[in-house]
């Protein structure tokens, strides 16, 4: 099974993708995470992407579709036990949606669900500016909504180092939301016409959102 989680920045795509990854044996493919890793490593892709990401704009379609193709290759053949993909933050434009169709078809995979996380835009700035992650394992947290069980200690790996994204500031968030409205929201009708879109209330508690997504994946809603 291959699915897309779609929604504006801060909708909870990464949070849900990592929960589905551990609960269902699927693999989270986050273009944002891959690009941040490329920036950190100083690769040619990272050097091209850095300033664009800091401005909250979109990296070129060719770059992100290229890294998704490589990630799908690394997952292997789904009919031979290769795991299903959860696309998180990709596709973000009509051209990327078209590339994804080709990339999947070429590898004998199909797109099974597009799940839209529906959120109240006013809540997103608070979600994003309160976001932080474990510097060691990447587990996601929030100042108000998801603190570690023991303050200052990662629930998953016990690390005491945390970090915040340079683009998680109010000004950049506004640009990222404008990019979402202008370039990403318009791809929903493409998938709606194919009967693939289901909506989930992204304002519910994290566990409730996961349960709603799992019901869709299990064909119960
Ligand atoms: P996205 O990947 O869509 O940008 P994230 O999954 O990183 O969003 O979530 C943004 C922030 O909001 C994180 O700090 C996360 O802990 C928090 N968050 C995610 N889902 C919820 C939710 N349903 N309720 C409250 N906070 C949430
Ligand atoms: P994210 O982690 O999904 O919030 O993405 C962080 C940033 O990475 C975005 O603001 C973009 O600059 C870039 N990015 C991530 N995914 C894509 C994509 N599919 N297309 C273009 N840019 C992307």
């Amino acid at each position: 099974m291959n699915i897309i989680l779609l929604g504006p920045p801060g909708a909870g795509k990464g949070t849900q993708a990592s929960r589905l990854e551990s609960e269902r044996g699927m693999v989270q493919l986050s273009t944002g995470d891959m690009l941040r890793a490329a920036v950190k490593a100083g690769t040619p892709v990272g050097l091209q992407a850095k300033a664009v990401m800091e401005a909250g704009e979109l990296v070129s379609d060719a770059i992100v579709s290229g890294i998704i193709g490589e990630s799908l290759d690394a997952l292997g053949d789904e009919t031979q036990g290769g795991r299903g993909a959860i696309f998180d933050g990709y596709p973000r434009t009509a051209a990327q949606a078209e590339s994804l169709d080709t990339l999947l078809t070429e590898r004998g995979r199909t797109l099974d669900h597009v799940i839209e996380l529906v959120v109240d835009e006013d809540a997103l700035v608070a979600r994003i500016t309160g976001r932080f992650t474990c510097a060691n394992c990447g587990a996601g947290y929030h100042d108000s909504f998801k603190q570690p069980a023991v303050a200052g200690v990662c629930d998953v790996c016990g690390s005491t180092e945390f970090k915040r994204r340079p683009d998680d500031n109010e000004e950049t968030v506004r640009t990222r939301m404008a990019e979402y409205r202008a370039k990403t929201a318009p791809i929903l009708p493409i998938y709606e016409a194919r009967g693939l879109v289901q909506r989930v209330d992204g304002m519910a508690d994290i566990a409730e959102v996961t349960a709603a997504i799992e019901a869709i994946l299990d064909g119960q809603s």
Side-chain angles (χ1 to χ4, degrees), residues 4 30 33 43 75 78 80 104 116 123 148 154 166 168 173 189 193 200:
I4 296 173
S30 159
D33 285 349
T43 66
L75 285 190
E78 212 178 3
Q80 307 291 319
L104 290 172
E116 183 191 5
C154 176
D168 276 352
V173 169
V200 163

Side-chain angles (χ1 to χ4, degrees), residues 174-194:
R174 302 274 174 213
T175 308
R176 286 157 61 197
M177 282 180 190
E179 290 281 70
Y180 178 81
R181 270 193 297 271
K183 296 173 186 162
T184 309
I187 69 182
L188 271 162
I190 301 173
Y191 291 125
E192 262 161 19
R194 287 159 57 181

